[in-house]
Amino acid sequence: VRNRSDNWTIFRMAGFVGPGLWKNSIYDLLKGEQLRVHPDSEYQYINNADMAGIMLDAVLSGADNEIFNIAGDGLITPREIAAMIPGCEIPSEAYGLTHERYELNISKIQKMHDITPTQETVSSFIEGVLKGKVAIG
């Protein structure tokens, strides 16, 4: 992109939650599917509506020729997520699964926009799904 255009903005994303969610470990936990990642892996999540607003604000502010990481503030594990879902159980052993930790540095975008903590984003999303206010795939 940078080599083909004089005016560009690149957004690098982490995990998402939001209406229509149909794929990730949170979806698997909500649907009672097999967890495909280590339960103690650490990830960032942001609501897709928040992400859209953050991107729009960055573009409208004139942030040309910039790269931004967009993700929730802080990390959460599938084990912590499972604890938010009544009756959700994950195996105590994670045979063959490697512990992962993905954390984007979001300090640049935080100078322009408030970023919701991952824990709050995931908790609110799960509450909405459980109450039938948010539909997933």
Side-chain angles (χ1 to χ4, degrees), residues 47-114:
N47 189 286
N48 53 19
D50 292 342
M51 178 274 308
I54 292 166
M55 289 175 64
L56 185 60
D57 287 349
V59 170
L60 293 176
S61 74
D64 295 330
N65 302 337
E66 297 275 351
I67 299 172
F68 295 97
N69 294 330
I70 301 179
D73 188 5
L75 299 165
I76 194 167
T77 68
R79 189 178 307 280
E80 293 170 313
I81 296 165
M84 298 176 190
I85 303 168
C88 183
E89 293 185 23
I90 55 176
S92 58
E93 297 293 327
Y95 299 107
L97 297 173
T98 303
H99 180 274
E100 301 171 323
R101 185 175 198 270
Y102 292 106
E103 183 173 21
L104 294 176
N105 180 340
I106 60 171
S107 60
K108 187 174 181 180
I109 199 71
Q110 283 180 307
K111 292 175 185 172
M112 299 175 67
H113 203 287
D114 290 334

Side-chain angles (χ1 to χ4, degrees), residues 5-61:
S5 177
D6 294 331
N7 186 357
W8 51 268
T9 305
I10 297 173
F11 297 101
R12 294 192 294 213
M13 314 290 179
F16 294 102
V17 296
L21 177 73
W22 61 274
K23 182 180 179 182
N24 71 19
S25 54
I26 297 174
Y27 176 86
D28 292 341
L29 291 169
L30 284 165
K31 290 292 194 174
E33 302 289 334
Q34 177 183 347
L35 190 59
R36 295 173 176 87
V37 298
H38 193 286
D40 297 315
S41 291
E42 301 163 276
Y43 305 104
Q44 292 166 290
Y45 291 96
I46 191 164
N47 189 286
N48 53 19
D50 292 342
M51 178 274 308
I54 292 166
M55 289 175 64
L56 185 60
D57 287 349
V59 170
L60 293 176
S61 74

